[in-house]
C-alpha cells in the first residue's frame, strides 16, 4: 500500500464495476488504480469514465503493478477460479463477485490457495454485510417460532429482450456458467443460510429456456428440526411482485429486496405494520468493501463468510449441477 491507501485493480468493465467504483469512492483508505479488460478499446473507454486508472490487457502485467494491492473480479463465473488463483499466487487479495465459483470444489481450491498465500479471499455478497440484516436478526424473536420463510429475487434481465428476438448474449449463454441460480438465485439462498444455517434437505425445480439455459427456478429447503421450511424463488425472465417474507406464529417480516433492503416491515399478528429502523443506502456495496479491507488488515475474519459461500455452492451443486443438462 502506498501512503496507507489500498489500491484496487478491477477485472471487468461491466455495469457492476461502475457500481463498485461508485461505492469505493465513499470508502476511506482505498482507491481504484487499474482496470483489466480483454481489449484495449473497452479498457480505455472504461478508464475515460473513471480518471486515474491504468489500463491493462495482460492480466499478469496488471498483477505485477506495485500499485495493486488487491483485485475486484467481476467477469463471467467461469473465469473466477483461474483469475482468483493467479491473483492470489501473485500476492494480491481478492474480492470476487457472486457466485464466487461454478462449483463448491472449485471454491475450495480457491480457499486453499488463499490460505497458502496468506491473502484475503471474499465473495462480494452484499446481504452478508448490510447492517439492515443485523437489525432483522435482532428482531426475529418478535415473530415467535418461525414456521416459513419465502425469499425471492426475480429480476427481468435487460438482455432478455434480445434473447426473445433470437440474439443470445452472455447473460443467457449456458456455456459460460451464468445460470439464473448462479447469477440471481444465489442471493436469496445465501441469505437463507446466513439467517438459518444449512437445511436437512433441498428440493429443486428449474425452468430451462429453448437453448438449455436455466432462466428461473425454485428451491424448497427443509428445516425439520427447527420446525419450518424455506421457499427460494429466482428468475432472470420475470419480475417478482410479492416481497420476501419470514413468517412466525406471532407475526411476520417482509423484505422489499433481498440484495439491498430499503424497507423491512414487522407485521405483528393482529396488529399494524411497523417499519424496522434500518438505514437504507442506495449502493450498499460500500459495506462489503469496508469489511474486505478490515479483513486484509487482520481486523476481521473472513472464515465464517467463506464457510457460507462454500455451503451455498454445495447446495447449488445439488440443485442445478454445472453444466446443467440440456432441456431438463
Amino acid at each position: 500500500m502506498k501512503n496507507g491507501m489500498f489500491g484496487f485493480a478491477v477485472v471487468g468493465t461491466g455495469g457492476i464495476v461502475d457500481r463498485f467504483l461508485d461505492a469505493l469512492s465513499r470508502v476511506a483508505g482505498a482507491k481504484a488504480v487499474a482496470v483489466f479488460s480483454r481489449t484495449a478499446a473497452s479498457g480505455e473507454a472504461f478508464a475515460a469514465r473513471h480518471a486515474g486508472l491504468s489500463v491493462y490487457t495482460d492480466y499478469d502485467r496488471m498483477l505485477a503493478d506495485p500499485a495493486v494491492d488487491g483485485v475486484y473480479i467481476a467477469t463471467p463465473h467461469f473465469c473466477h477460479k483461474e483469475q482468483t488463483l493467479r491473483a492470489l499466487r501473485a500476492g494480491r487479495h481478492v474480492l470476487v463477485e457472486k457466485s464466487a465459483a461454478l462449483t463448491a470444489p472449485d471454491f475450495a481450491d480457491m480457499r486453499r490457495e488463499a490460505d497458502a498465500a496468506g491473502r484475503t479471499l471474499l465473495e462480494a455478497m452484499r446481504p452478508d454485510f448490510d447492517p439492515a440484516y443485523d437489525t432483522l436478526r435482532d428482531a426475529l424473536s418478535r415473530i415467535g417460532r418461525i414456521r416459513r420463510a419465502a425469499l425471492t429475487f426475480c429480476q427481468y434481465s435487460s438482455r432478455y429482450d434480445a434473447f426473445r428476438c433470437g440474439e443470445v448474449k452472455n447473460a443467457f449463454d449456458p456455456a459460460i456458467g451464468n445460470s439464473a441460480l448462479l447469477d440471481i438465485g444465489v442471493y436469496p439462498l445465501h441469505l437463507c443460510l446466513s439467517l438459518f444455517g444449512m437445511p436437512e434437505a433441498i428440493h429443486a425445480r428449474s425452468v430451462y429456456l429453448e437453448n438449455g439455459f436455466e432462466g428461473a427456478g425454485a428451491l424448497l429447503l427443509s428445516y425439520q428440526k427447527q420446525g419450518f421450511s424455506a421457499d427460494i424463488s429466482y428468475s432472470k425472465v420475470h419480475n417478482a411482485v410479492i416481497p420476501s417474507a419470514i413468517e412466525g406464529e406471532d407475526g411476520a417480516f417482509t423484505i422489499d429486496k433481498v440484495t439491498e433492503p430499503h424497507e423491512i416491515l414487522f407485521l405483528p399478528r393482529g396488529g399494524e405494520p411497523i417499519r424496522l429502523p434500518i438505514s437504507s443506502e442506495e449502493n450498499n456495496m460500500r459495506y462489503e468493501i469496508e469489511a474486505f479491507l478490515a479483513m486484509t488488515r487482520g481486523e476481521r475474519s473472513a472464515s465464517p463468510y467463506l464457510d457460507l459461500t462454500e455451503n451455498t455452492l454445495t447446495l447449488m451443486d445439488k440443485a442445478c449441477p454445472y453444466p446443467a443438462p440440456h432441456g431438463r
Side-chain angles (χ1 to χ4, degrees), residues 119-319:
R119 293 294 180 266
T120 296
L121 168 66
L122 184 68
E123 181 180 44
M125 179 57 64
R126 286 177 280 161
D128 274 349
F129 306 102
D130 193 315
Y133 286 115
D134 294 330
T135 302
L136 175 62
R137 286 184 180 88
D138 291 341
L140 275 178
S141 62
R142 298 171 72 177
I143 63 172
R145 188 172 185 182
I146 295 171
R147 288 305 190 183
R148 178 175 177 265
L151 304 177
T152 183
F153 187 30
C154 300
Q155 182 171 279
Y156 188 94
S157 171
S158 60
R159 293 166 179 80
Y160 190 49
D161 284 340
F163 181 89
R164 294 171 69 178
C165 293
E167 181 183 358
V168 179
K169 297 188 176 182
N170 282 352
F172 290 93
D173 183 352
I176 66 171
N178 199 28
S179 68
L181 180 56
L182 278 165
D183 197 30
I184 295 291
V186 62
Y187 279 119
L189 177 59
H190 188 104
L191 176 61
C192 188
L193 268 57
S194 173
L195 292 172
F196 308 120
M198 285 287 274
E200 287 88 30
I202 181 172
H203 303 279
R205 290 292 182 270
S206 292
V207 175
Y208 289 90
L209 306 182
E210 295 81 357
N211 66 338
F213 182 87
E214 194 227 17
L219 309 173
L220 177 62
L221 278 58
S222 174
Y223 288 90
Q224 190 61 39
K225 292 179 182 178
Q226 298 180 51
F228 74 95
S229 63
D231 303 308
I232 308 294
S233 60
Y234 58 93
S235 176
K236 295 179 73 171
V237 297
H238 69 84
N239 288 325
V241 295
I242 300 174
S244 295
I246 301 170
E247 301 164 353
E249 293 178 345
D250 297 325
F253 290 102
T254 62
I255 307 164
D256 63 339
K257 190 173 183 181
V258 296
T259 54
E260 44 193 351
H262 298 299
E263 182 179 77
I264 300 179
L265 292 179
F266 168 47
L267 294 84
R269 181 166 45 85
E272 294 296 318
I274 301 169
R275 187 170 183 167
L276 288 193
I278 63 172
S279 96
S280 171
E281 179 145 338
E282 188 60 34
N283 186 349
N284 65 349
M285 294 180 78
R286 174 172 70 87
Y287 303 122
E288 68 189 25
I289 298 171
E290 291 173 340
F292 175 73
L293 292 172
M295 292 169 190
T296 68
R297 296 190 298 264
E299 300 167 359
R300 189 168 180 174
S301 173
S303 184
Y305 303 102
L306 299 177
D307 290 344
L308 262 175
T309 295
E310 197 161 343
N311 287 341
T312 302
L313 284 165
T314 297
L315 290 184
M316 291 199 294
D317 288 348
K318 293 179 180 179

Side-chain angles (χ1 to χ4, degrees), residues 27-42:
V27 174
K31 66 177 182 178
V33 297
V35 57
F36 169 78
S37 178
R38 289 179 299 169
T39 68
S42 62

